[in-house]
Amino acid sequence: MNFQALFTLVFFVAFIAMTIWVYRPSRKKDYEKLSHMALEADRRKERDEQ
């Protein structure tokens, strides 16, 4: 096996592992919380300007 094939295989396995880690169901609450952060910041900014 040459270096390029090994390099490709390592990065492919890393990509699959990261994809599984990101999309696991236990992370859903974290992502929902993060999705509201920008909206909350905008609401605070609008309140402060008034």
Side-chain angles (χ1 to χ4, degrees), residues 25-48:
S26 63
R27 302 277 299 172
K28 185 176 181 178
K29 288 183 182 180
D30 294 333
Y31 292 131
E32 287 177 352
K33 182 179 176 181
L34 290 171
S35 69
H36 293 287
M37 285 177 63
L39 297 174
E40 291 172 9
D42 285 343
R43 289 181 189 138
R44 274 189 248 124
K45 185 177 178 182
E46 287 176 1
R47 252 192 338 242
D48 293 342

Side-chain angles (χ1 to χ4, degrees), residues 10-27 31:
V10 167
F11 276 98
F12 181 70
V13 170
F15 173 77
I16 296 299
M18 286 187 284
T19 303
I20 290 169
W21 180 73
V22 166
Y23 286 106
R24 52 183 191 178
S26 63
R27 302 277 299 172
Y31 292 131

